[in-house]
Amino acid sequence: MASEIYAIISVVITIGVIISAKIIDHYKFKTLDGSYKALVVIILLVVIAEGVYLSINFDLLTYALETVTSLSAILIFAAFVYLNKLQNAASGISIALSTNIHVGAKIKIENHKGTIFKLGLTKTIIEMDEDKSRVWIPNKKFDEVLVSISSIKAKPSDYDLEKASVDN
């Protein structure tokens, strides 16, 4: 009886975590391109963890323990393979939460000056001042090199209109 109660509590907590992640994504990361992909990965990991917990709790994985162990090893290997992307994604989330870095801000990075055109989960697009070309910068560069960002906020609507005309 106690295991059923714990299972119900676990499912309720899992649903709460998924709803919280969706709310955080919607309100905090709505301007960050690629955040939906990260949300899907987080939800998948939470659902898999819940499935494993329930399976162990009700002895459903007794015969498949080797499979679960193998899958864990594969996930760890995949984490090492995609380490660069994961680091860029973590930096992208940090950038999205920052109040100083936003679309339209003037930036100087590694002797290049420009304006932030678009923020993404793993990369930021800068429009260069000298020739109006666009440069993609991995987000972890913001943690590795000296970056100068102006504190003057440009009107985001100007950049949204330009972005819309470029995308179409």
Side-chain angles (χ1 to χ4, degrees), residues 5-159:
I5 292 173
Y6 289 135
I8 291 170
I9 292 171
S10 176
V11 169
V12 169
I13 289 172
T14 299
I15 291 170
V17 167
I18 290 171
I19 290 171
S20 298
K22 289 186 87 133
I23 289 171
I24 290 169
D25 179 60
H26 180 71
Y27 289 107
K28 282 295 207 181
F29 302 123
K30 63 182 170 187
T31 60
L32 185 64
D33 288 343
S35 65
Y36 182 74
K37 293 176 188 175
L39 176 66
V40 169
V41 170
I42 290 169
I43 289 174
L44 282 174
L45 291 175
V46 168
V47 168
I48 289 170
E50 179 65 22
V52 169
Y53 168 74
L54 292 175
S55 297
I56 290 171
N57 196 31
F58 294 111
D59 291 329
L60 299 176
L61 285 181
T62 305
Y63 301 106
L65 192 55
E66 295 84 14
T67 304
V68 172
T69 305
S70 299
L71 289 174
S72 298
I74 291 170
L75 285 175
I76 291 171
F77 176 74
F80 282 116
V81 169
Y82 293 106
L83 184 61
N84 193 33
K85 287 280 190 193
L86 293 172
Q87 289 172 335
N88 280 317
S91 294
I93 291 170
S94 174
I95 289 169
L97 294 174
S98 171
T99 57
N100 296 331
I101 303 173
H102 56 277
V103 172
K106 293 289 185 182
I107 185 170
K108 181 179 179 185
I109 184 168
E110 294 184 339
N111 297 322
H112 298 290
K113 293 181 183 178
T115 304
I116 296 178
F117 180 75
K118 190 175 185 180
L119 293 171
L121 184 63
T122 58
K123 60 190 162 291
T124 298
I125 301 174
I126 309 289
E127 184 173 78
M128 304 312 289
D129 286 344
E130 54 268 0
D131 61 357
K132 299 299 181 198
S133 64
R134 296 207 174 114
V135 177
W136 298 37
I137 299 174
N139 284 337
K140 73 178 188 173
K141 275 284 192 199
F142 287 87
D143 295 332
E144 295 173 348
V145 298
L146 182 62
V147 178
S148 174
I149 300 171
S150 70
S151 60
I152 301 170
K153 285 196 173 193
K155 293 188 286 185
S157 59
D158 295 342
Y159 290 94

